Amino acid sequence: MSIVRNSLAVVAASAVLALTSACGGGADKVALCAETTKAMTDYQGAMASAGTDFEGFNKAGADFAAKLKEIAGKADGDLQSALTKFGDSFAELKIDPKAADAATKVGDFAKKVTEAGAAFASACS
């Protein structure tokens, strides 16, 4: 299952890069992007703390999804849509290390997060 854990770490790091480079536009967008970036940093910390505990991974993802949806509630237009899509991606991720398709699910998740990250970057610029 180390491939699943490593894949999650790479996806999270990629999302942080997208978020960090995307913060532009008006004051409201900058504040919401900064709040989102902090939430991603918190998520990464929770993932690191989880170690090999997949329940910890699942909780970190669910908590991050809830935070993204909370931030989306403060936004409007494209930014709201992008944050909601980003949150939905994390809300759907449930890792079961015993499942034969765990690596496939992480791959699907990576694709969704990449698409959501691109939409977020576009909305924040």
Side-chain angles (χ1 to χ4, degrees), residues 93-120:
L93 180 66
K94 303 285 186 270
I95 300 297
D96 178 0
K98 296 175 187 150
D101 64 346
T104 302
K105 284 185 179 181
V106 170
D108 293 344
F109 168 73
K111 181 181 177 197
K112 287 179 184 178
V113 167
T114 300
E115 290 169 357
F120 177 80

